Amino acid sequence: MNLTVGFDLDMTLIDSRPGIRAAYRALSAETGTYIDADAAVTRLGPPLEEELAHWFSHAEIPAVADRYREIYPDHAIAPTPAMPGAREAVAAVRAMGGRAIVVTAKHEPNARLHLAHLGIEPDAVIGWLWAEAKAGALREHGAQVYVGDHIGDVRGARTAGALSVAVPTGPCPEPELRAAGADVVLPDLTALPAWLTQYLAAQPV
């Protein structure tokens, strides 16, 4: 089979909490608006605008979101580490002759900056997609599997007709991921290469 595996970015491939916390603090200082950055990083996954709605009026959000994305590279890229097993998971897909793609709600240029900084090399990066909206990109690239940490990722995989592989490394614990319909829950990405080997072995030739 022509294997294609999709990956979410925040809290799946990267631990984006330190960088996003720094970016929110910088945005708060610049705008003079209080943002509880520690609380914000417990809610990662949904689009930026949903978080900004906690702190800014509806009318302010478009301009503030644009400004956040502008200052993000200066504050968020350097402090953000890869999640355990992230590089190895992407490399394992490619070593098996497959394609690894990243489908994320994050602003695509900033997603690319994170991956380049950390030396993670997917075959494609598609940004600005959240939950069910991820299904279009997954179908377009023929992804059989989508790996994510959020119930929104589970919904995206299921909408695309892909196998939902979840890791409870973000805001959603294992019971919540299973209740949302995850087909497989792994402890983290370090378990993905062995699972992929088993998955491929079970596929019809």
Side-chain angles (χ1 to χ4, degrees):
M1 68 183 294
N2 295 317
L3 176 67
T4 299
V5 178
F7 292 88
D8 175 51
L9 184 65
D10 287 354
M11 302 312 297
T12 299
L13 288 174
I14 65 173
D15 183 349
S16 46
R17 291 172 296 186
I20 289 176
R21 185 183 289 113
Y24 276 130
R25 286 176 175 164
L27 184 69
S28 178
E30 184 176 301
T31 61
T33 298
Y34 174 73
I35 299 171
D36 186 341
D38 291 325
V41 298
T42 69
R43 297 189 285 254
L44 299 183
L48 168 66
E49 286 78 5
E50 289 190 24
E51 181 59 41
L52 293 178
H54 291 280
W55 315 108
F56 295 91
S57 71
H58 181 74
E60 293 173 307
I61 288 173
V64 172
D66 285 346
R67 182 57 183 154
Y68 173 91
R69 293 181 179 115
E70 287 173 3
I71 66 175
Y72 186 94
D74 291 334
H75 298 278
I77 304 301
T80 297
M83 295 294 279
R87 293 184 187 87
E88 295 82 358
V90 171
V93 175
R94 302 182 75 180
M96 294 172 187
R99 298 178 70 249
I101 65 171
V102 172
V103 184
T104 174
K106 191 178 288 295
H107 182 49
E108 189 174 310
N110 288 341
R112 291 180 180 278
L113 287 174
H114 276 299
L115 293 163
H117 178 72
L118 294 171
I120 298 172
E121 300 180 348
D123 295 280
V125 180
I126 307 97
W128 290 97
L129 298 175
W130 161 242
E132 288 84 356
K134 294 185 175 189
L138 294 171
R139 284 195 294 259
E140 180 184 342
H141 287 269
Q144 297 94 346
V145 176
Y146 185 59
V147 185
D149 68 284
H150 199 283
I151 58 171
D153 300 322
V154 176
R155 300 203 308 267
R158 294 182 68 83
T159 303
L163 199 71
S164 170
V165 176
V167 285
T169 51
C172 300
E174 180 174 346
E176 190 175 349
L177 294 166
R178 290 196 184 279
D183 296 294
V184 177
V185 179
L186 302 175
D188 58 33
L189 287 183
T190 62
L192 187 70
W195 177 84
L196 271 176
T197 300
Q198 294 176 333
Y199 169 75
L200 286 176
Q203 300 308 303
V205 177

